[in-house]
Amino acid sequence: MMIAGFHAESDKEHKVAANTALVLSGVYAVLILLVYFAQATAVRLDSLGDEALRIIDYKRLGLFFSYDLLGYGVMSLATFFIGLTINAKSRSDKWLKGLLMVHGAFFIVCFLIPMLGVFNSKQSGVDWIGTLILEVWCCYFLPICILSYLHFANKSNK
């Protein structure tokens, strides 16, 4: 919804970047919903064997962990493109634009980590990595959420 809000207020010169961000946020939503739906239904309906658990268990850093990282990478790319559309007049909007654009760099990391096998289940003591990655992302994205709220709450932006 945040991307859609910024898309709606983008000017004609930045519609390509805004449209790109909107499409990428749709791709993010599909990837994440598929991962979470599959995990929730598999756990709820089946007693899974070791092979299936290897794929969906985040602690084993399997395929679904990689899909999740890809989803967040695509979302970070969407934030980069929407950051290009923000006409930053206030100090908070300048911070918001900067954070969104820097957030786009997460795409590279999220895309390459699974392909390079940086983390794998054969490493000892890696069960905390997925949690750490999520917490770092949350700490980074929280100011973006707050600044976006302030941006849309500001009547002069409407």
Side-chain angles (χ1 to χ4, degrees):
M1 292 190 314
M2 179 188 84
I3 298 290
F6 285 119
H7 178 275
E9 72 176 27
S10 68
D11 58 17
K12 200 173 190 175
E13 296 172 5
H14 297 99
K15 276 298 181 194
V16 171
N19 287 339
T20 302
L22 200 58
V23 168
L24 288 169
S25 65
V27 171
Y28 157 74
V30 169
L31 281 169
I32 297 307
L33 286 172
L34 284 172
V35 166
Y36 294 155
F37 181 78
Q39 287 177 322
T41 56
V43 169
R44 162 99 171 73
L45 300 175
D46 298 317
S47 61
L48 300 174
D50 193 50
E51 198 61 36
L53 281 174
R54 189 174 296 123
I55 293 171
I56 70 167
D57 186 1
Y58 277 22
K59 289 182 181 177
R60 298 183 188 199
L61 306 172
L63 181 62
F64 279 33
F65 177 77
S66 297
Y67 284 157
D68 202 41
L69 277 180
L70 179 61
Y72 285 116
V74 170
M75 188 237 342
S76 66
L77 202 53
T79 62
F80 170 79
F81 280 105
I82 210 63
L84 293 173
T85 71
I86 295 175
N87 184 9
K89 295 176 185 168
S90 69
R91 184 176 176 172
S92 64
D93 278 354
K94 288 177 184 174
W95 270 100
L96 174 61
K97 182 177 181 115
L99 287 169
L100 286 169
M101 304 234 351
V102 170
H103 189 254
F106 285 106
F107 171 76
I108 298 164
V109 176
C110 291
F111 189 75
L112 291 178
I113 282 177
M115 290 192 317
L116 297 175
V118 173
F119 306 121
N120 62 59
S121 60
K122 293 178 179 110
Q123 294 171 321
S124 62
V126 296
D127 55 345
W128 55 271
I129 290 174
T131 303
L132 178 66
I133 289 171
L134 182 59
E135 288 178 4
V136 167
W137 177 82
C138 288
C139 289
Y140 186 91
F141 209 74
L142 182 61
I144 291 173
C145 296
I146 293 167
L147 291 170
S148 294
Y149 173 81
L150 294 173
H151 173 86
F152 289 116
N154 184 353
K155 297 203 185 307
S156 67
N157 287 330
K158 296 177 183 174

